[in-house]
Amino acid sequence: MYRHLLGRSVVAAVRTRLAASVGVVAVLVTVLTGTAAGAASAAPQAAPVAAAATQDSPGWVCPGTPIPPGYVITSRAANGCNGAGAWYMQPAQDGIWICATSPIPPGYVLTLHSASGCNSNIDSWFMQLARDGQWVCAGSPIPSGYVLTGHISTGCGNIGVWFQQLARVGQYICPGVPVPAGFRTDAFNASMCGGLGGWLLLSA
């Protein structure tokens, strides 16, 4: 289900992901995760001329190669695959920089953004396992059972951040946030979610 074909346009991939944002919001990087911001971690060694990875092992792959479930793209080598550019795929893990073209496995969220990462000055994202009480970048997936309850206007590379929590009765969730199974919304409070307003979450 999470197989992903690497397209030719990185810019289009970034714009698509940012379009999912509910609005432009942010906080300082240290508020997000307590981890210092920076470029993606050092890239693997230079890519070979052709793809080296198999369907279920880490390594360099050419554009168009399906990405197996549970794997992410973490680097790009422009001179790989006979000049077509190669991508490095590896198993997903908590606390890793991924390229903007990478799939995001279930249960993970995006907490930081860099406009010049992926070893090629391409947008990259810091991916972490979802947890209760976490600031996530705008456009980050909302894992099952979680809701967005807060909104601040500076951070995540000026893309915006949302406060993510496990759904509980009595919370106010931000507008446009999916209502998890077993819950329903009731009264609206215009002062919630950083002034965007929020819907009271009740048991279904």
Side-chain angles (χ1 to χ4, degrees):
M1 179 170 74
Y2 288 88
R3 294 165 75 87
H4 179 75
L5 294 179
L6 297 175
R8 293 183 178 180
S9 174
V10 173
V11 173
V14 176
R15 288 178 178 171
T16 299
R17 187 161 297 168
L18 295 181
S21 170
V22 181
V24 176
V25 287
V27 289
L28 295 175
V29 167
T30 52
V31 175
L32 287 170
T33 59
T35 305
S41 56
Q45 293 187 0
V49 173
T54 63
Q55 197 72 3
D56 57 357
S57 67
W60 291 98
V61 295
C62 295
T65 302
I67 305 303
Y71 277 69
V72 291
I73 300 299
T74 57
S75 187
R76 181 176 186 272
N79 63 341
C81 295
N82 295 317
W87 300 89
Y88 191 80
M89 73 174 193
Q90 65 184 84
Q93 65 185 62
D94 186 21
I96 188 174
W97 284 95
I98 64 173
C99 302
T101 52
S102 176
I104 304 170
Y108 286 91
V109 293
L110 306 176
T111 58
L112 290 172
H113 170 255
S114 171
S116 58
C118 204
N119 200 40
S120 294
N121 290 325
I122 294 172
D123 285 69
S124 60
W125 303 85
F126 192 65
M127 189 180 77
Q128 293 183 284
L129 285 169
R131 65 176 187 272
D132 190 24
Q134 180 179 38
W135 288 101
V136 299
C137 297
S140 175
I142 303 175
S144 177
Y146 285 86
V147 292
L148 304 180
T149 60
H151 160 236
I152 304 180
S153 60
T154 51
C156 202
N158 291 322
I159 291 170
V161 293
W162 302 86
F163 194 61
Q164 174 181 277
Q165 293 181 281
L166 285 168
R168 301 181 184 88
V169 170
Q171 290 173 321
Y172 279 89
I173 65 173
C174 300
V177 174
V179 179
F183 293 89
R184 63 182 175 88
T185 56
D186 193 20
F188 182 80
N189 186 327
S191 67
M192 305 305 293
C193 195
L196 295 178
W199 296 94
L200 180 63
L201 201 61
L202 298 178
S203 180

